[in-house]
Amino acid sequence: MNKAQVTILAIETSCDETAASILRGTLSGEPQFDILSSVVNSQIEIHQKTGGIVPEVAARAHIQNILPVTQEVLNKAQLKLDDIDYIAVTSGPGLVVSLVVGTEFAKGLGLAKNIPLLPTNHMAGHLYSAFAQNPTQTQFPALSIIVSGGHTMLMLLKDFYNYQVIGQTLDDAAGEAFDKVARLLDLPYPGGPAISKLAEEGKEQIDFPRPMLDKDNYDFSFSGLKTAVLYYVEKLPQPLTHQQKADIAMSFQNAVTDVIAGKALKAAKQHNCQTLTLSGGVAANKHLRATLEKTCRENNLTFLVPEFALCTDNAQMIAIAAYFNLRGGQTPTPAGQVKANPAWELV
């Protein structure tokens, strides 16, 4: 790493978004980078037909989209592959058939142009997306809340390069619970945005449980909450009215938010954190964002959250994670040695 700055092409195909992005940043001094271009091709309309993601369907869409998406991101940045120093690619966690499309495509580009690869953890992408706007605002130690469809975790950061998981879900992730409750209420896929929108019309608070909120740890469990909503719905005359659905959505969302905010504040206090960050797909939830912002303001914590476009899966966050990993000493991997790792844990 003897260059003053690097240009990174990032590719993301961990689930149902085909995305590419190009970042240019400095390797010395304070972290400083610019996103030169970013393209996301969403598969939401495809998977709405089945009410969820069918892995093989997602993989076929990635195969169709990955080349044009990559070409578009290069064109927008007015660059060619010869201008790229590294290719960052999401190699896990995620759907294995989707990951394979991205990793194999990145390997092909790397081998063709002799560009080293930076295998990047998808959850690290979410982690670092919170620092996209102005990383120099961050005061350490920091607590990162990552809330997505497959993960709910608390990360303790000593600095940009040293972090550890201190709490995570023991069963359903928050985003998964949102999707399952949305199906109970006959709401469209994806469930999170549908629940959030409907909750704005809620009036009557239903006393759903706050699982593990009082436990002396930082772990989460949302399976019981989802089951409580199921039992509540089954006791009501069918079909549910629009207002009943709105009340359930609001009450469920409040329960999830209370647990996440309560656990995060306890962890932040016990570890003397100065900054709290929120990221992941569920970070787009307006109620959760507002609650955590208020909590941080009342407790003198700096609150960082990415813009809405960076909450859902995208390649900007993979580029940013790869940039910080490179600064932290990651050794680039020869293209032929990169493999999809669907169970790659963030530790």
Side-chain angles (χ1 to χ4, degrees):
M1 296 197 306
N2 54 5
K3 294 184 63 174
Q5 65 177 15
V6 291
T7 303
I8 300 172
L9 166 65
I11 295 170
E12 154 66 22
T13 64
S14 65
C15 191
D16 62 336
E17 313 285 5
T18 311
S21 182
I22 296 178
L23 173 150
R24 180 168 289 160
T26 60
L27 289 179
S28 59
E30 292 290 329
Q32 185 175 0
F33 56 86
D34 294 305
I35 299 296
L36 304 185
S37 59
S38 179
V39 175
V40 178
N41 186 295
S42 175
Q43 300 179 14
I44 286 181
E45 291 185 5
I46 297 174
H47 299 298
Q48 281 178 335
K49 299 175 183 177
T50 53
I53 299 169
V54 179
E56 291 77 7
V57 174
R60 286 198 295 269
H62 285 311
I63 292 170
Q64 294 174 348
N65 295 326
I66 192 166
L67 179 58
V69 163
T70 303
Q71 187 61 63
E72 183 179 355
V73 84
L74 286 165
N75 292 342
K76 284 188 172 183
Q78 298 183 344
L79 296 176
K80 298 180 180 180
L81 279 176
D82 292 335
D83 301 311
I84 302 299
D85 298 305
Y86 299 98
I87 299 174
V89 60
T90 304
S91 53
L95 299 176
V96 62
V97 289
S98 293
L99 291 168
V100 165
V101 176
T103 54
E104 292 302 309
F105 181 76
K107 285 164 65 174
L109 292 182
L111 289 169
K113 290 292 186 177
N114 195 28
I115 304 173
L117 267 57
L118 300 171
T120 304
N121 187 293
H122 178 79
M123 301 312 297
H126 282 307
L127 171 68
Y128 284 110
S129 68
F131 308 118
Q133 302 303 315
N134 188 358
T136 58
Q137 287 183 337
T138 310
Q139 295 177 292
F140 294 101
L143 182 78
S144 173
I145 312 167
I146 305 177
V147 193
S148 68
H151 297 78
T152 302
M153 58 176 64
L154 297 181
M155 307 284 299
L156 180 63
L157 289 78
K158 296 180 179 180
D159 53 43
F160 285 122
Y161 315 107
N162 294 282
Y163 52 78
Q164 66 179 116
V165 177
I166 61 171
Q168 57 189 324
T169 184
L170 303 179
D171 41 56
D172 289 355
E176 182 181 1
F178 268 93
D179 285 339
K180 289 179 177 178
V181 170
R183 284 197 289 271
L184 289 176
L185 301 180
D186 293 322
L187 299 178
Y189 174 85
I195 289 280
S196 180
K197 182 178 180 180
L198 184 59
E200 295 176 359
E201 303 178 51
K203 295 178 181 179
E204 182 179 346
Q205 176 68 41
I206 303 164
D207 187 23
F208 290 135
R210 271 62 175 165
M212 298 188 69
L213 183 56
D214 297 325
K215 295 290 185 180
D216 189 24
N217 58 45
Y218 306 128
D219 291 327
F220 300 91
S221 171
F222 294 106
S223 178
L225 172 58
K226 172 205 64 182
T227 302
V229 176
L230 171 63
Y231 289 162
Y232 183 85
V233 169
E234 288 179 339
K235 291 179 181 179
L236 295 176
Q238 304 296 319
L240 301 181
T241 67
H242 180 81
Q243 189 58 55
Q244 285 176 320
K245 290 183 179 181
D247 291 343
I248 292 169
M250 178 193 71
S251 302
F252 165 75
Q253 179 177 262
N254 289 347
V256 173
T257 299
D258 287 350
V259 171
I260 293 174
K263 289 272 188 177
L265 181 59
K266 179 172 71 172
K269 286 183 174 180
Q270 291 185 354
H271 290 279
N272 298 314
C273 293
Q274 305 297 309
T275 301
L276 189 147
T277 75
L278 172 68
S279 55
V282 184
N285 183 283
K286 294 179 181 179
H287 180 66
L288 178 60
R289 292 166 79 104
T291 299
L292 287 170
E293 183 177 12
K294 181 174 181 289
T295 298
C296 289
R297 185 170 59 251
E298 293 173 347
N299 290 275
N300 297 315
L301 294 168
T302 298
F303 180 56
L304 300 179
V305 62
E307 59 186 68
F308 289 104
L310 285 182
C311 293
T312 53
D313 292 351
N314 62 89
Q316 288 189 56
M317 69 182 195
I318 301 304
I320 295 169
Y323 166 73
F324 277 104
N325 288 343
L326 197 60
R327 286 178 56 101
Q330 179 182 3
T331 301
T333 303
Q337 297 180 18
V338 174
K339 295 181 180 179
N341 184 359
W344 188 5
E345 294 185 1
L346 184 62
V347 294

